[in-house]
Every structure is written in C-alpha cells, then in structure tokens.
C-alpha cells in the first residue's frame, strides 16, 4: 500500500492542475467500449505545444535509428542489445542527464535463456491411437525450470476450462481436481468471454486471470506436470504466427532465486485446430465443452488421451540491462516521476521464408524509447527545472513477460514509496493526429484526470478504452508498478483520426496487429505521419511536468 503522504501530495498536484471549468466532453468510466463516432465539425488546429523541444524531426531520427537493422531487432543478450544500450547511454549523456543507478547508466538484470530444440514433438495417444504434433506449426512448448532435459511419459490429459482459481468471485476450475502428474488443457482469456457475459469477472474487460502468464502460474501452483493453452485468435487478441514467432526462439526468465513462484515443468500452446481434433478423437465435442466451461458449474473433464515428450533445451545464464537516466529535482529530489518504455524486441531469426530475419520492432517499441528520449530533451530545456526528480527507465525483457520492470520493482533504484507516478510508453501509433487519447486499463489511476485536463488544452478528449477484452493493461511494464501501488499511466493516441475518423483509425490499428505485430514487417517507414505521435508525447510530457 502506498504511503498516504505521497498520495496526498499527488492529489494536491492533480487538484492544482485542474482548470476552473472541466471540459464538457470529458468521458466517464462506464463509457461504451465502442469508439465514439467522428465529430461532425473539423478538428481545430493543433494548440501551441507544451514543449517546443518535442518535434517530429527529432523524434523521427531517434525512431529511425532504434528501428534500424544495425540494432538487429534489439534482442536481449545479443549484439543488438549492446548497440542499443550504448546508443541510449550516449543520447542521454548528450542531453545532459545523469546516470540513473549511482554512477552507472544500467541496472543489470540476471536472466536465464532457454532455447527449446525445434525438433521437439509431442506424442499423443488418444484412445490408444498415436498422434504426433509438430513444433511451431501445431504446438509450441518450453520450460522455465532451467533444466536442459525434461521428460513426460504417458501423462494423462484433462480439460480444466479456463484454468482459473478465483475465490473472490467463487470460481475454481480446479475444484476437486488432482492434476499431479497430469497435463491440463485450458482456454485463454477470462470465463464469460465466449458468451460475452457481463456478469462474470469484469465482463468484456480482461482481468489478470485471462493472461497466459496466469494460466501457467496457476497450473504450477496446482502441481500439474504440464499445461497447454488452446490458442484462439479472438480470445488471445493475436494470431498463431505471433505465438510461433515468440516461442520458437530463445525464452527468457528471471532465475528461480529471483522468482519464488512454482514453475510448471512443461508449458506451451496448441492450435484450436489441434484441440478440436484431439477432443473429437477422444469422443468429445470441443465446441460444446468450451461453451460449458464459459459458465458457472463447469467441472473439469478428463480426456481419454495421454501425452509424452522429451524436451531438450539449451540453457544458459546471462544478463541483460535496464537503462536508467536521471534528471535530479531541485527542491524535492528524493521524490520521483518515472517515464518508461521497453527497449527490447524479438531480435533475429534464421531461415525466414521471406528472407528478412530481423524483427526491427519499430512500433513495438522503438516508438516508446524514442518518445522517452524526446521527452527527456523537453525536461532538460524547461524553465524552471522540475522540483521532483525525473527518472527515465528503459527496461529490458518486456517481451518475455515484463521481466526487466519486475526486477526493477523488486530492486528499485529510487524508493517506490517516493515514486509518485509512472508514465509508460509502448507501441505508440504513427497514423496522424487524433481527436482523442486512449488510456489502457481505464479507471485504474487518478493520473487519468490530469491527462484529461492536458488533452482538453489540446482540444482533445479521453476516449473509451479501445479493446479492454485484449488485456493490454497486463501486457506492458507499467503493470509491475501498479501491482505494488505506484500510480501508473499507460496512454497513447486514440483511433478517432482527424483524417478519416474512427473507421480509418481502427483500420490502421487492425492492419498493424494482423500484418506487423511481432513480425519482421514492423519496420520504420519514412512516410509515417508523426504529427499525432508528437502531440501525444507532448501531452505525456505535460502530465509529468505538472507532477514533477
């Protein structure tokens, strides 16, 4: 729990920053999930920026550099990491910031790199009939145990619904079920998602129970020998190619001594097509069972099937670096405002069918890191200088489960009880100016009120959260601060574009998810319209400036 003194100070800062008359168009927390219709009148010209230092040319240069092939996809522990960290240190140094970790620009994060043998197969026996699942195309598996070899021999399979144990809402898919020595098959997302039931969990808004990380964690707590998540594109919010691209390369974890939670020996995913056939061969109807699992009263169903696997992995201990740069405050330097954006992406792959083996990660997340550099420049030029300190934390290992930020939250360089706000930038859109801004995890922080005031000065509103059912709130680094009580804001440009309205904005967002998210096509495009991104960064700068 946060200290009341810090919350009170933040409350006073918010109150002092509110205009005398709140904006009439301010949206409310129970606004519909559907984006608003485009405004009938043309949008006003952009208001005078809060900082003249945040410009499209400066931002574009940072972005183009970070997303270039020179950085090799910014894979943790790679040559690309060394180039990325060196570049960030140099840029922060040129801006006049100080090292953020004593006399060091980095915080070294211990990690375990595990690479599963891509020739691994899963051997199923369904009603005595053998089947084999291929790695990458039909399934992916791995381990977080740090063991170079793990074997399962004829482990029974059981369908455990969503794999959720949530006593506070009276839901337990594991009730009366002993899964020791067994492999559980579970659905992704929250109970109620399939039927769009508003009375279960938080309706269409995903909770942490819906995340794949939770599914693995709970299966481990229950003592399962393995867990397989059934991939469904709508429920997961991304296609199978995202799972395949993310799991066929090296997997990173914090060492067991840094993470005391139990780890399931074998964890992975199967395609929905595999699940449908598996259940049918076992004499069951997968569609009927997934619907049954989506409502109260469901009981786990054993499958007349077993699984065997000999998982060999290359395991090595290594390190990766969070980058930290500090602008000390003048009169309240012990209190900190944090700006954050993860530097890591998927690195390189080999044998790519299109010949492009670099995952450049331009949108995800060179945009956020370039934004942090642009905002740092604005803070170094503002007068008067901020009273509170401003820390630029650029974490590693976000793509591996938010590990760099989790390590920082467990080993904070600046005391968390004196960290008054965290502002996260991840996958910023580059599709022109928007009439709105979107907050991921709407309603989670009072910082949204301050953002609404800032957006109003720009002639914009805070729109409803775009896709709360996709669980973006749990998929970026701010979550590790929010879960320990630090006010955290994750916001970016909305989809109601000045040119084209909501239809154009949603089309651009959907195109990125379908064609570039976690793919080699996520590359910098000099034709991007960065006016909206710069306006978003200007707003996020102003939120932090008012607090700092």
């Amino acid at each position: 729990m946060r200290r009341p003194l810090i919350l009170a100070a933040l409350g006073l800062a918010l109150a002092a920053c509110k205009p005398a008359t709140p904006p009439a168009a301010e949206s409310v927390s129970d606004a519909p999930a559907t984006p608003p219709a485009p405004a009938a009148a043309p949008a006003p010209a952009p208001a005078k920026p809060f900082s003249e230092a945040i410009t499209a040319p400066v931002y574009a240069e940072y972005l183009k550099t970070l997303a270039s092939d020179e950085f090799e996809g910014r894979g943790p522990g790679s040559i690309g990491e060394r180039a990325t960290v060196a570049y960030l240190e140099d840029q922060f140094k040129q801006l006049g910031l100080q090292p953020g970790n004593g006399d060091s620009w980095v915080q070294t994060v211990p990690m375990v790199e595990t690479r599963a043998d891509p020739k691994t197969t899963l051997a199923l026996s369904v009603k005595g009939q053998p089947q084999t699942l291929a790695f990458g195309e039909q399934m992916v598996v791995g381990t977080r145990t740090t063991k170079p070899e793990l074997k399962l021999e004829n482990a029974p399979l059981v369908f455990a619904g969503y794999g959720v144990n949530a006593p506070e809402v009276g839901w337990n898919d594991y009730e009366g079920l002993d899964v020791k020595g067994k492999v559980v098959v579970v659905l992704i997302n929250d109970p109620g998602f399939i039927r769009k039931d508003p009375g279960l969990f938080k309706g269409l808004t995903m909770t942490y129970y819906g995340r794949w990380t939770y599914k693995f964690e709970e299966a481990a707590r229950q003592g399962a020998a393995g867990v397989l998540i059934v991939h469904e594109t709508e429920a997961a919010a991304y296609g199978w190619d995202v799972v395949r691209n993310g799991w066929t390369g090296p997997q990173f974890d914090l060492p067991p001594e840094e993470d005391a939670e139990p780890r399931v020996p074998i964890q992975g995913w199967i395609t929905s097509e595999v699940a449908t056939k598996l259940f049918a061969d076992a004499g069951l109807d997968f569609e009927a069972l997934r619907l049954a699992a989506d409502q109260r009263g469901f009981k786990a169903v054993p499958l007349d099937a077993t699984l065997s696997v000999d998982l060999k992995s290359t395991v090595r201990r290594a390190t990766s670096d969070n980058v930290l740069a500090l602008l000390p405050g003048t009169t309240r330097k012990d209190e900190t405002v944090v700006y954050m954006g993860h530097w890591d992406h998927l690195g390189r792959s080999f044998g790519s069918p299109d010949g492009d083996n670099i995952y450049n990660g331009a949108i995800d997340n060179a945009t956020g890191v370039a934004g942090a550099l642009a905002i740092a420049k604005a803070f170094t030029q503002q007068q008067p200088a901020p009273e509170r300190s401003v820390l630029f934390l650029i974490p590693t290992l976000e793509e591996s489960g938010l590990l760099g930020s989790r390590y920082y939250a467990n080993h904070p360089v600046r005391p968390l009880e004196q960290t008054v706000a965290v502002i996260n930038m991840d996958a910023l859109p580059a599709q022109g100016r928007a009439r709105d801004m979107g907050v991921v995890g709407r309603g989670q922080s009072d910082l949204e009120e301050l953002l609404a005031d800032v957006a109003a000065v720009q002639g914009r509103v805070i729109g409803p959260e775009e896709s709360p059912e996709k669980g973006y709130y749990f998929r970026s680094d701010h979550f590790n601060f929010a879960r320990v009580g630090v006010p955290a804001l994750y916001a970016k440009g909305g989809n109601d574009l000045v040119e084209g309205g909501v239809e154009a904005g949603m089309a651009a967002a959907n195109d990125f998810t379908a064609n570039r998210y976690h793919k080699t096509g996520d590359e910098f495009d000099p034709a991007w319209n960065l006016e909206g991104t710069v306006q978003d960064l200007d707003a996020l700068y102003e939120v932090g400036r008012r607090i700092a």
Side-chain angles (χ1 to χ4, degrees):
M1 181 176 292
R2 302 299 318 288
R3 291 186 178 179
L5 175 62
I6 295 299
L7 288 176
L10 181 56
L12 287 173
L14 292 172
C17 294
K18 289 183 73 84
T21 304
E26 184 172 336
S27 54
V28 294
S29 59
D30 60 351
T34 303
K48 184 179 184 297
F50 295 107
S51 173
E52 300 284 355
I54 302 174
T55 66
V58 169
Y59 173 69
E61 189 59 32
Y62 290 141
L63 176 55
K64 180 176 67 174
T65 301
L66 286 160
S68 68
D69 284 357
E70 176 187 353
F71 290 78
E72 296 194 353
R74 304 188 303 279
S78 70
I79 294 173
E81 165 165 357
R82 293 200 292 273
T84 303
V85 170
Y87 173 76
L88 292 174
E89 289 183 16
D90 181 64
Q91 294 304 309
F92 281 125
K93 190 179 300 183
Q94 287 187 38
L95 290 172
L97 275 71
Q98 298 180 7
N101 185 14
D103 59 359
S104 176
W105 294 96
V106 302
Q107 178 187 45
T108 298
V109 179
M111 68 178 185
V112 178
E113 178 187 307
T114 305
R115 190 186 295 264
D117 183 347
K119 297 190 293 292
T120 299
T121 59
L122 292 185
L124 299 177
S125 176
V126 188
K127 287 195 168 182
Q129 298 300 310
Q131 299 179 16
T132 301
L133 301 183
F135 189 84
E137 296 307 311
Q138 296 173 298
M139 64 81 186
V140 291
V141 289
T143 183
R144 299 179 59 223
T145 62
T146 73
K147 295 181 179 178
E149 185 171 11
L150 284 167
K151 289 185 179 182
L152 293 181
E153 294 284 350
N154 298 317
L157 293 174
V158 57
F159 177 55
Y162 283 91
V164 168
N165 178 17
E168 73 278 7
V169 295
W171 190 285
N172 185 2
D173 287 319
Y174 289 98
E175 185 174 3
L177 180 63
D178 182 3
V179 297
K180 292 179 176 61
K182 300 176 182 178
V183 174
V184 293
V185 179
V186 299
L187 302 173
I188 194 66
N189 217 302
D190 286 327
F193 175 82
I194 297 171
R195 296 174 182 270
K196 306 297 186 283
D197 187 343
L200 287 179
F201 289 73
K202 294 183 71 174
L204 280 182
T205 300
M206 183 191 283
T207 71
Y208 187 63
Y209 291 116
R211 289 286 291 142
W212 59 268
T213 48
Y214 168 80
K215 313 290 183 179
F216 295 152
E217 291 163 2
E218 187 58 40
R221 284 189 285 268
Q222 297 290 333
V227 55
L228 294 173
I229 298 174
V230 178
H231 172 267
E232 295 180 280
T233 296
E234 182 185 9
Y238 40 76
W240 177 254
D241 51 354
V242 172
V243 177
R244 182 184 60 235
N245 292 345
W247 281 69
T248 53
Q251 305 298 300
F252 301 102
D253 285 291
L254 295 179
E257 59 268 22
E258 286 289 341
D259 181 8
E261 285 290 316
R263 302 184 179 196
V264 67
I266 303 287
Q267 60 185 38
W269 298 70
I270 56 175
T271 67
S272 58
E273 292 79 10
V274 165
T276 300
K277 184 178 187 305
L278 167 63
F279 280 56
D281 292 346
L284 300 169
D285 185 333
F286 175 64
E287 179 62 22
L289 281 174
R290 66 192 283 273
L291 289 171
D294 206 44
Q295 53 192 326
R296 291 189 181 279
F298 171 77
K299 299 296 182 184
V301 177
L303 303 179
D304 190 356
T306 62
L307 180 149
S308 299
V309 61
D310 183 0
L311 177 62
K312 293 183 174 66
S313 303
T314 302
V315 181
R316 73 181 183 99
R317 294 229 173 188
T319 60
S320 187
D321 287 332
N322 293 334
V323 178
L324 298 91
L326 182 70
L327 181 65
T330 55
T331 60
R332 306 169 76 174
K333 62 178 61 180
D334 291 338
E335 298 176 18
T336 309
V337 176
V338 176
Y339 280 91
M340 181 168 54
H342 73 91
W343 64 255
D344 66 296
H345 198 56
L346 304 185
R348 300 180 65 179
S349 66
F350 297 93
S352 176
D354 62 2
D356 183 357
N357 68 351
I358 297 179
Y359 292 84
N360 298 81
I363 294 293
D364 183 15
N365 180 40
T367 55
V369 181
L373 290 169
I375 289 174
K377 182 175 182 179
F379 269 103
T380 61
Q381 293 185 9
Q382 79 171 47
Q383 292 296 331
E387 296 178 15
R388 286 173 165 138
S389 295
V390 182
L391 177 69
F392 293 89
L393 167 62
I394 316 298
T396 182
L397 296 167
E398 189 269 359
E399 301 289 7
S400 302
L402 319 183
L403 302 182
S405 58
R406 187 195 307 178
Y407 186 83
Y408 180 94
N410 291 340
H411 305 276
V413 170
R414 310 280 296 181
L416 294 182
E417 63 270 19
Q418 292 180 290
T419 301
V420 298
V422 167
I423 299 171
N424 184 38
M425 294 168 288
D426 192 358
L428 304 179
Q431 54 200 34
R433 289 174 54 220
R435 297 181 176 91
D436 59 346
M437 288 193 74
V439 174
V440 179
R442 185 76 185 274
Q444 300 280 359
S445 167
D446 287 343
L447 296 174
E448 296 169 27
E449 299 177 24
L450 183 50
L451 178 65
D453 294 341
V454 169
V457 176
Q458 295 180 325
R460 301 199 288 171
V461 298
I462 304 301
E465 185 171 1
E466 174 192 329
S467 302
E469 74 280 3
K470 295 180 180 179
Y472 291 126
Y473 184 72
F474 309 105
R475 291 165 59 177
S476 194
D477 285 311
H478 65 283
F479 180 59
N480 282 319
F481 290 86
R483 73 194 305 178
V484 294
V486 178
L489 177 68
Y490 177 19
K492 48 189 169 180
N495 284 322
D496 186 6
L497 301 185
V498 170
E499 296 182 8
V502 172
E503 183 178 357
M506 291 301 295
N510 292 337
D511 176 71
F512 171 74
T513 300
N515 298 313
R516 281 174 286 285
Y517 175 64
H518 282 200
K519 299 180 177 68
T520 55
D522 184 9
E523 297 180 318
F524 175 76
D525 185 345
W528 278 341
N529 182 346
L530 299 176
E531 290 182 9
T533 319
V534 167
Q535 193 175 34
D536 299 335
L537 293 171
D538 197 37
L540 296 177
Y541 159 72
E542 179 64 6
V543 170
R545 186 197 68 80
R546 295 185 185 189
I547 297 171

